[in-house]
Amino acid sequence: MKLPNRISFSRIVIALLIVVILLFPFDSAGIDTLKIFVNESIVVDIKYIIVGILFVVASLTDFFDGYFARKNNCCTDFGKMIDAIADKILIDSVLVLLATIGFIHPVIAVVVMIRDVAVDSIKRYAASRGLVIGSIKLARVKTILFMVSISMTLFYNLPFELFNLKIADILLVVATIMSVVSGFEYYGYIKKKLKID
C-alpha cells in the first residue's frame, strides 16, 4: 500500500480511537478523569483535551496524505475514495458524539450526515455513468472548517470562551452551511456534465 493511503488509513484508526474514548463509560468503570477548573463556569475535562489532540493529529494526516500523493505523483481513484471515507468517519462520528454529549446542536450532525449521504449517492450515480467526481474546492474548505471548529469545540473554545465569544459555534454553523451549498454544487456539476433534466 502506498504511503498516502497508509496515512489515510491511520486517520480512520485515530477516528475509531476517538470514538472509543468518547464512548467509554469512565464514570461507570469507577475511573475519575482529571478536571481542570479554568474559572467558575468553565471546567475542562482532560478526556476532551486528549480527544482534541488526537483529532488535531488526525486532521493533519488529511493534509499529509494529499501532499505525498501529489509529491510522489501517485494520485489514484482508490486514494481519493479512501481519503473521502477517512474524512467522513472522522468528522461525522465526532459530530454525532458531540451532539449526543450536548457540546453541539444535533441539527448540525443531522444536516452534515444527510448531505454526505446525498453527495455519496450523486458520486455513485456519476460513476455508474463513467464520470468520476473528485473533491470540489468548496468541499475541501468545508472540511478544513469542520476540522478547525471541532478541534476548538473539544478544547472548550478556549481562550475565546473566557470572553464569551462563541467562535467554535460560529465556525461550525458556517461549515454546515458550506456543506449544504457544496452538496448542491456537486448536484449542479453532475447535472451539467451528464445533461440531466
Side-chain angles (χ1 to χ4, degrees):
M1 185 185 297
K2 294 178 179 175
L3 178 62
N5 294 341
R6 287 202 300 269
I7 294 172
S8 294
F9 272 113
S10 75
R11 186 155 69 258
I12 295 173
V13 171
I14 296 170
L16 296 176
L17 178 59
I18 288 171
V19 168
V20 168
I21 293 171
L22 288 176
L23 288 177
F24 188 81
F26 289 97
D27 293 337
S28 301
I31 302 170
D32 289 329
T33 55
L34 178 66
K35 292 179 176 56
I36 301 166
F37 290 82
V38 178
N39 61 26
E40 317 79 51
S41 60
I42 304 172
V43 181
V44 175
D45 188 331
I46 199 71
K47 171 177 77 172
Y48 296 109
I49 301 302
I50 292 168
V51 168
I53 292 167
L54 288 171
F55 189 85
V56 168
V57 170
S59 298
L60 289 173
T61 66
D62 190 32
F63 166 76
F64 286 113
D65 62 8
Y67 171 77
F68 286 117
R70 288 185 297 276
K71 182 182 178 188
N72 299 330
N73 199 25
C74 59
C75 293
T76 63
D77 288 338
F78 175 77
K80 291 175 187 174
M81 179 191 71
I82 201 65
D83 180 56
I85 289 171
D87 286 346
K88 285 176 179 57
I89 289 173
L90 177 65
I91 291 172
D92 291 2
S93 60
V94 173
L95 284 176
V96 167
L97 291 171
L98 289 176
T100 304
I101 295 162
F103 273 35
I104 66 169
H105 199 285
V107 169
I108 291 173
V110 171
V111 167
V112 170
M113 293 188 74
I114 290 171
R115 177 266 183 201
D116 285 348
V117 169
V119 168
D120 288 345
S121 299
I122 288 168
K123 286 183 174 183
R124 206 172 305 120
Y125 176 79
S128 72
R129 301 293 187 274
L131 177 65
V132 177
I133 303 176
S135 180
I136 60 174
K137 186 176 183 179
L138 188 61
R140 289 192 293 270
V141 173
K142 172 265 309 179
T143 300
I144 292 167
L145 264 179
F146 269 124
M147 289 176 172
V148 170
S149 57
I150 290 171
S151 299
M152 290 177 68
T153 301
L154 289 166
F155 291 124
Y156 290 80
N157 191 41
L158 291 170
F160 304 106
E161 196 65 26
L162 296 171
F163 308 102
N164 203 28
L165 298 172
K166 305 296 182 187
I167 304 298
D169 293 343
I170 292 168
L171 290 177
L172 271 172
V173 170
V174 171
T176 304
I177 292 168
M178 289 179 76
S179 182
V180 173
V181 172
S182 69
F184 282 109
E185 202 171 308
Y186 276 114
Y187 174 72
Y189 178 78
I190 138 170
K191 186 176 178 183
K192 181 181 175 184
K193 286 287 186 182
L194 298 179
K195 297 179 171 59
I196 301 169
D197 294 327

